[in-house]
Amino acid sequence: MDSILVTGNGPLKGQIPIAGAKNACLTLMPATMLSEEPLTLTNAPRLSDIRTMTTLLQSLGAEVSTLQDGQVLAMSSHDINNHTADYDIVRKMRASILVLGPMLARDGHAVVSLPGGCAIGARPVDLHLKALEALGAQLDLKDGYVHAKAPLGGLKGGVIDFPLVSVGATENALMAATLAKGTTIINNAAREPEIVDLAQCLRKMGAQIEGEGTSTITIQGVDRLHGATHPVVTDRIELGTYMLAPAICGGEVELLGGKRSLIEAFCNKLEAAGVEITENENSLTVRRGDNRVKAVDVVTEPFPGFPTDLQAQMMALMCTAEGTSVLEEKIFENRFMHAPELIRMGAQIDVQGGHATVTGVEGLKGAPVMATDLRASVSLILAGLAAEGETTVSRVYHLDRGYEHVVRKLSSVGAKIERIQEQ
Ligand code: UD1
């Protein structure tokens, strides 16, 4: 397994282009199954999770071609000839459950393996299943698989009341409802930019949707959807991650494609910590001079709150801040696995349940550390950039799931970082 070697750095300077959003692309890809006509995605990120979704769609009979060095995905689901999403693929990536709604809506039946738990918590899929039941689906759980059947004549519009906000369940429900007969209302829907992006793409395909980006989405089912071409929205988590690089090392970095509206809550916290952010026409510039950042408290919440996917990276910054901050994780239990690794680098962190109390130290020290999940791995890289000496982050396959060309992007702004390939 490869590892990444980071050497503590001075200020960073330059530009980093931000890719299309992994999480948006992972829901736009299954949307191809809603239509027999081609769906083309531009601005796709080059990531192993996207390759996993490609393999899954191909296993169901879809055609997926990657063009322009992986940035364009040309898909066609003309011939879906297998309706079982196999455990061997689903277990690698939870987002695989997103094929359930589209397959069921289009062909009236689908079998999808249950994804099981993952490193950051139990992560059930009950809300996905309840939403599809509200549209008339009959579900049986057998041998670790969900067997789903639509009523004769297809799914029917219905009212879906989510007891808690779920991004994935909202996406599955939204996709399924586009082809259900009649009107569907999704209450307590997720409002993430990835949901808005999905709704915009579905509308290009002929879907009738209103209210995306608010808590109530209304969908008027149509008989069929057609082909479309759609650019994937900017990855707000990659954006926030790279905004933290100059925040933690000092310097000035422009994030190309960055928009404040994608991560307003995060920007507000960064500014409260003493980091300067300027919004330009199609980028954000982040600047920190010689001042040490100040401790700020963070509570993760569904959008428009502070994203859980930036909590680990923010913790790395808080490890070097002046004062004590409390980070509260409200979305996923067990999402502080980066804390013990940061402590190996000299950080002072006390985790109690869903709270981590971080007392900033003047300097971190390089150490060998282990990536435990996607966002944790990049937080260790950020910490390594701010630490004295060398940090080796092992198990970087986690990183490859969600960050394209991380070494190239950080080196281009002056970071000392390299990938060590296993012989
Ligand atoms: C998506 C993102 C992930 C991000 C998360 C929260 C993708 C591919 N992944 O994950 O990066 O961290 O949103 O912003 O888009 N829950 C249930 N039952 C369900 C579904 C969810 O109890 O059926 C719970 C989860 O355990 C969690 C909370 O709801 O506590 C929110 O999870 P959810 O928004 O569904 O996350 P994902 O869509 O899996």
Side-chain angles (χ1 to χ4, degrees):
M1 275 182 273
D2 294 359
S3 52
I4 285 191
L5 174 67
V6 191
T7 309
N9 231 94
L12 304 176
K13 185 150 186 57
Q15 297 178 320
I16 299 180
I18 304 301
K22 167 180 88 76
N23 287 349
C25 201
L26 287 177
T27 184
L28 291 164
M29 290 175 76
T32 182
M33 285 197 295
L34 290 165
S35 170
E36 294 192 357
E37 293 179 21
L39 174 64
T40 301
L41 299 176
T42 59
N43 197 36
R46 278 86 43 105
L47 302 168
S48 65
D49 270 10
I50 302 302
R51 290 190 287 277
T52 304
M53 184 57 87
T54 300
T55 307
L56 175 59
L57 293 175
Q58 287 170 337
S59 77
L60 302 171
E63 284 170 34
V64 184
S65 318
T66 37
L67 312 168
Q68 293 185 23
D69 194 23
Q71 282 180 301
V72 173
L73 296 171
M75 301 175 289
S76 163
S77 298
H78 192 265
D79 300 308
I80 296 297
N81 50 26
N82 168 30
H83 290 81
T84 301
D86 203 74
Y87 176 66
D88 272 348
I89 305 177
V90 178
R91 72 184 166 83
K92 289 191 193 144
M93 189 180 68
R94 291 182 44 81
S96 305
I97 191 79
L98 294 170
V99 300
L100 178 59
M103 224 179 347
L104 181 64
R106 167 189 163 144
D107 289 336
H109 61 111
V111 180
V112 177
S113 167
L114 287 167
C118 75
I120 61 172
R123 300 186 80 176
V125 292
D126 55 318
L127 300 176
H128 298 243
L129 304 186
K130 286 204 177 91
L132 297 174
E133 277 177 335
L135 302 182
Q138 226 189 40
L139 305 175
D140 282 319
L141 300 185
K142 260 191 297 197
D143 306 326
Y145 281 77
V146 185
H147 294 249
K149 268 206 174 79
L152 224 62
L155 293 176
K156 294 193 178 65
V159 178
I160 299 168
D161 287 311
F162 283 123
L164 54 96
V165 177
S166 161
V167 177
T170 302
E171 291 167 344
N172 238 332
L174 175 57
M175 288 191 279
T178 58
L179 292 180
K181 302 232 157 9
T183 308
T184 298
I185 298 173
I186 306 177
N187 290 319
N188 202 19
R191 291 179 279 168
E192 270 66 4
E194 294 75 29
I195 305 274
V196 174
D197 200 38
L198 172 64
Q200 284 170 352
C201 175
L202 293 171
R203 204 177 283 123
K204 283 183 200 162
M205 294 169 73
Q208 291 189 18
I209 302 168
E210 272 174 34
E212 74 274 14
T214 75
S215 303
T216 305
I217 306 179
T218 307
I219 305 113
Q220 196 67 48
V222 295
D223 287 341
R224 58 182 296 277
L225 295 180
H226 50 75
T229 297
H230 181 78
V232 179
V233 67
T234 299
D235 195 318
R236 64 197 165 99
I237 306 302
E238 192 197 23
L239 170 64
T241 301
Y242 289 129
M243 287 173 77
L244 282 164
I248 203 164
C249 291
E252 182 175 317
V253 174
E254 185 181 7
L255 295 314
L256 305 175
K259 277 196 190 64
R260 197 177 167 115
S261 59
L262 291 171
I263 40 169
E264 186 69 42
F266 169 81
C267 287
N268 293 342
K269 287 293 174 188
L270 220 51
E271 285 172 335
V275 178
E276 271 178 58
I277 304 171
T278 317
E279 179 148 34
N280 317 305
E281 204 178 306
N282 192 26
S283 67
L284 291 178
T285 302
V286 177
R287 194 177 301 110
R288 181 173 72 77
D290 294 334
N291 58 311
R292 202 170 150 198
V293 293
K294 292 190 278 289
V296 288
D297 295 339
V298 167
V299 182
T300 65
E301 281 169 336
F303 192 85
F306 191 100
T308 172
D309 285 352
L310 283 170
Q311 178 260 108
Q313 302 90 311
M314 190 69 176
M315 187 184 286
L317 179 69
M318 289 300 105
C319 288
T320 65
E322 200 174 339
T324 299
S325 56
V326 177
L327 287 87
E328 186 180 354
E329 177 55 61
K330 292 230 281 204
I331 311 287
F332 294 114
E333 79 270 30
N334 200 19
R335 205 177 194 179
F336 288 129
M337 283 170 309
H338 39 285
E341 301 301 310
L342 290 167
I343 290 169
R344 291 171 52 76
M345 300 176 70
Q348 286 186 20
I349 307 168
D350 177 35
V351 175
Q352 301 286 342
H355 294 77
T357 305
V358 182
T359 305
V361 293
E362 292 245 0
L364 294 170
K365 295 229 169 5
V369 288
M370 199 171 75
T372 49
D373 66 59
L374 168 57
R375 308 304 172 186
S377 51
V378 83
S379 80
L380 299 173
I381 290 180
L382 288 171
L385 291 175
E388 191 191 317
E390 291 187 345
T391 297
T392 314
V393 184
S394 57
R395 298 205 178 168
V396 293
Y397 56 86
H398 289 296
L399 198 70
D400 298 333
R401 292 188 44 205
Y403 290 91
E404 64 168 42
H405 306 315
V406 68
V407 168
R408 196 193 297 171
K409 287 186 180 184
L410 283 171
S411 312
S412 75
V413 294
K416 295 185 201 111
I417 176 168
E418 59 183 296
R419 190 169 180 123
I420 313 287
Q421 308 231 317
E422 191 173 80
Q423 300 305 315

